[in-house]
Amino acid sequence: MRLTVIGCGYVGLVTGACLAAAGHEVHCTDIDEKRIDMLKAGKVPIYEEHLEDVLKRAVAEKKIIYTANSGEAIRTGDVIFICVGTPPKESGEADLSAIDHVAREIATEARGPKLVVEKSTVPALTGLQLRKALSAYSRTSDIQFEVASNPEFLREGTAVGDFFHPDRIVVGVENEKSAAIMREIYAPILERRFHCPVHNGTCPDGSGGQLLITTINSAELIKHASNSFLALKISYANVISDLCERIGADVEQVTHAMGLDPRIGTQFLKAGLGFGGFCFPKDIQAFIHLAGTVGVDFEMLRAAEKVNKQRIDRYFEKIHKALWVIRGKRVAILGLAFKANTDDIRFAPALEVMRRLLDEGAEVHATDPEAMAKTKAVFPNAKFHDDPYATLAGADAALVCTEWKVFRELDWDRAGKSMTRRLVIDGRNLYSPKKMQELGFEYYSFGRP
Ligand code: UGA
């Protein structure tokens, strides 16, 4: 099937590449011509494991075509995936102007019927607005547009694996014809007819997932309800962690035991600096806003958001307690990305930590395997190092802000020899307090004695 992807950001890049790997002919476009030129030259503008391999293969097999000519891309595809950004406005409400712009473009450029699929994360009822917009903008033609919602559940860092091995594929449609088209698009994924870059052709059993057909409104709600629930879970674990500190319990033991109950599950109960990234913080706000507009008070989500914002305050209480005066101290930050295996620094807790340290007059040295270039542009006053050991040399304290494997595996004895003071304030609970003490470190983490 011929597909068009509009928007070559993170979601569009992964969606386009993986659908091409599943055997479809995919035409990708973006208003950012530089990005298209980069992709045409075979360069991937983001760091995402396996994406480069999948893209290379799709390009070699001529399954993926990048073009800055959006009209041409729109005319070529039978199905158009809208993957443009929906950033938050000041009020928390999602800004849907890019979706509106794309709807106008599709309506004016299309020469035949299209199924228009919203893949961008949007608040409920956007699909209905999209359908209205398409018919309003195409009122002088008699082209038929169908609309579908196909929310993505990709996690940055494991997005390619998530696409090929989904727990569920949710498709919201208005009729059986659209459902049949979406089933055909995803059949190669569900039937495992693709080369899996993650498992190199030997995918484990039972990782096929299922396709759920729903209404458009339900599909949109499923996305927000899922992300918000995960954010709630993290904030819950963080409150438990604060409680553990007060009463002398260990949050790792508590959440581990809680998670063994299959009704709760072990994931997303990791206490620490809280959630960042471009999904949870903005989705939770958009969901609160949406609920408010239809008269539902989502107090619970506001509380989760408040807990998350306070994580940085809680971290600074620890930093102040351990370091006393911050001004003039040399502090090493390990990890800048909002989580491991990505170069994404949007709403990253580490950046807020860095901003406050610089404001308080610390000399900040930092490292991250992928996110340094982006951070340098925001904080030219900090010093950046490729090597974690060079970052730690001469430091009065090490602050661990992202759970990269390379930090988990650091040789702290070696690092400690060059630090001014053996002090680690761990925002991600990466190390055993006992082991760190044995190595002569003063070690603080979240919710552990
Ligand atoms: C999230 C969802 O997990 C995806 O299912 C969804 O598709 C995506 O948003 C999206 O809407 O596009 P992502 O933002 O990539 O994915 O990252 P997560 O792995 O969910 O982590 C989010 C944040 O929560 C990170 O800052 C992470 O460090 C933090 N986190 C996660 C915790 O603090 N504790 C945990 O136990 C888990």
Side-chain angles (χ1 to χ4, degrees):
M1 198 176 293
R2 272 187 311 189
L3 312 176
T4 297
V5 171
I6 304 183
C8 293
Y10 155 73
V11 174
L13 282 171
V14 175
T15 302
C18 294
L19 287 175
H24 301 294
E25 181 186 310
V26 185
H27 296 253
C28 302
T29 187
D30 196 292
I31 49 168
D32 183 346
E33 288 192 24
K34 274 198 203 129
R35 184 163 270 243
I36 293 293
D37 287 343
M38 211 176 156
L39 285 159
K40 276 185 179 165
K43 290 190 200 119
V44 185
I46 56 164
Y47 173 76
E48 182 64 47
E49 211 182 353
H50 304 300
L51 184 59
E52 205 172 322
D53 292 352
V54 179
L55 272 177
K56 261 191 198 147
R57 212 182 165 97
V59 169
E61 290 173 357
K62 298 199 168 43
K63 286 287 183 195
I64 199 157
I65 295 105
Y66 291 101
T67 172
N69 184 340
S70 54
E72 190 182 284
I74 288 166
R75 283 185 291 279
T76 312
D78 306 308
V79 180
I80 300 174
F81 285 86
I82 302 182
C83 300
V84 295
T86 53
K89 292 193 214 170
E90 198 70 11
S91 60
E93 185 187 359
D95 178 354
L96 301 176
S97 52
I99 304 241
D100 181 51
H101 171 79
V102 168
R104 191 186 288 273
E105 243 191 331
I106 295 173
T108 43
E109 297 289 349
R111 298 290 174 267
K114 308 281 172 195
L115 172 60
V116 181
V117 184
E118 40 165 54
K119 189 104 190 140
S120 307
T121 296
V122 289
L125 306 176
T126 303
L128 299 182
Q129 291 294 350
L130 178 61
R131 183 155 50 74
K132 266 197 208 159
L134 286 166
S135 64
Y137 299 145
S138 65
R139 69 181 192 286
T140 51
S141 78
D142 52 7
I143 295 172
Q144 286 297 308
F145 293 105
E146 302 288 350
V147 170
S149 164
N150 175 212
E152 53 87 14
F153 301 103
L154 310 173
R155 292 161 301 172
E156 288 189 32
T158 55
V160 172
D162 291 344
F163 200 101
F164 285 129
H165 299 292
D167 309 311
R168 76 284 205 208
I169 297 168
V170 173
V171 172
V173 288
E174 292 182 301
N175 52 46
E176 183 45 42
K177 187 173 146 217
S178 304
I181 295 173
M182 295 304 289
R183 272 195 208 100
E184 193 182 330
I185 292 173
Y186 282 107
I189 305 285
L190 296 171
E191 293 162 16
R192 301 264 184 87
R193 286 187 273 116
F194 55 85
H195 171 84
C196 177
V198 183
H199 305 105
N200 230 342
T202 50
C203 308
D205 286 341
S207 50
Q210 54 174 309
L211 189 137
L212 305 170
I213 301 288
T214 68
T215 64
I216 293 181
N217 285 355
S218 295
E220 290 168 340
L221 212 60
I222 288 166
K223 167 70 187 190
H224 270 312
S226 303
N227 271 10
S228 298
F229 188 77
L230 291 171
L232 272 178
K233 236 181 139 180
I234 297 169
S235 282
Y236 187 85
N238 279 325
V239 177
I240 298 292
S241 149
D242 289 348
L243 257 174
C244 285
E245 284 180 17
R246 299 287 160 85
I247 62 177
D250 181 332
V251 73
E252 301 290 330
Q253 292 176 355
V254 175
T255 53
H256 173 68
M258 277 169 64
L260 293 180
D261 180 336
R263 292 170 303 174
I264 297 175
T266 49
Q267 295 188 50
F268 283 72
L269 284 177
K270 199 110 190 72
L273 275 171
F275 56 80
F278 205 56
C279 300
F280 287 176
K282 98 176 158 76
D283 286 4
I284 207 170
Q285 276 186 16
F287 207 28
I288 293 168
H289 182 87
L290 172 85
T293 59
V294 293
V296 175
D297 186 4
F298 222 145
E299 189 64 41
M300 203 191 279
L301 281 189
R302 262 198 292 276
E305 195 188 22
K306 186 172 156 211
V307 167
N308 197 56
K309 285 199 176 128
Q310 288 169 343
R311 296 321 286 164
I312 309 282
D313 300 336
R314 295 281 300 105
Y315 196 47
F316 268 80
E317 282 165 23
K318 293 174 195 295
I319 296 171
H320 281 132
K321 207 165 160 189
L323 262 183
W324 184 38
V325 173
I326 289 186
R327 180 164 301 279
K329 297 275 165 67
R330 180 168 169 158
V331 179
I333 298 184
L334 301 183
L336 301 164
F338 83 95
K339 66 173 190 177
N341 304 322
T342 176
D343 61 351
D344 197 340
I345 55 167
R346 292 174 298 176
F347 297 99
L351 265 61
E352 180 58 17
V353 170
M354 185 180 266
R355 189 187 63 73
R356 290 200 200 182
L357 286 170
L358 288 167
D359 283 354
E360 291 196 38
E363 180 188 329
V364 179
H365 291 248
T367 189
D368 187 285
E370 296 294 337
M372 280 202 292
K374 286 183 179 168
T375 315
K376 267 181 203 169
V378 190
F379 292 106
N381 295 340
K383 296 187 175 64
F384 297 88
H385 308 261
D386 289 327
D387 178 16
Y389 296 100
T391 317
L392 290 163
D396 292 294
L399 309 187
V400 184
C401 294
T402 314
E403 65 282 20
W404 284 97
K405 187 162 174 269
V406 24
F407 302 147
R408 207 181 281 279
E409 292 170 356
L410 268 188
D411 178 347
W412 277 104
D413 196 32
R414 177 184 159 194
K417 286 187 179 121
S418 68
M419 289 176 74
T420 300
R421 180 173 166 192
R422 287 195 173 215
L423 168 63
V424 175
I425 308 167
D426 181 358
R428 297 291 176 187
N429 287 4
L430 292 195
Y431 314 109
S432 144
K434 188 165 166 271
K435 279 202 188 123
M436 292 304 278
Q437 261 157 30
E438 282 166 9
L439 286 171
F441 277 88
E442 228 180 303
Y443 176 72
Y444 303 96
S445 57
F446 278 100
R448 301 188 296 177

